[in-house]
Amino acid sequence: MIHTAATMAHVKEGHCCLIHGLGKGRSFRARMVALGVRPGAQIKVIRGYGDGPRLVELGNQRIMIGAEMLHHIYIRQEGMEI
């Protein structure tokens, strides 16, 4: 049985999840960690629809994450509405 990892691209507006890991290259991971997007962090999608970018909230900051980047942020759980 093949399992595909859920990514931030699957999280809908108003839902939150825990970040499980970061893919892509070293510079991408460094950039995300510098913004606070790191494994174990809770992240909430504030705004975003379909295949576009998402405005997310991490702690007390809000950042915009591009649509392509969302596919490289792996999540542990999805759909927790807060």
Side-chain angles (χ1 to χ4, degrees), residues 11-70:
V11 182
K12 297 178 182 173
E13 185 175 309
H15 290 78
C16 68
C17 59
L18 295 174
I19 298 172
H20 177 66
L22 301 170
K24 219 170 179 180
R26 189 180 317 174
S27 63
F28 171 78
R29 289 190 299 272
R31 182 175 176 195
M32 291 294 103
V33 168
L35 291 171
V37 180
R38 61 187 72 197
Q42 184 173 358
I43 189 167
K44 179 179 180 182
V45 177
I46 302 298
R47 193 168 314 268
Y49 305 99
D51 293 330
R54 304 279 196 283
L55 176 64
V56 299
E57 185 173 77
L58 282 149
N60 62 354
Q61 71 174 357
R62 289 184 176 189
I63 59 172
M64 186 67 95
I65 299 179
E68 177 62 29
M69 294 176 166
L70 295 168

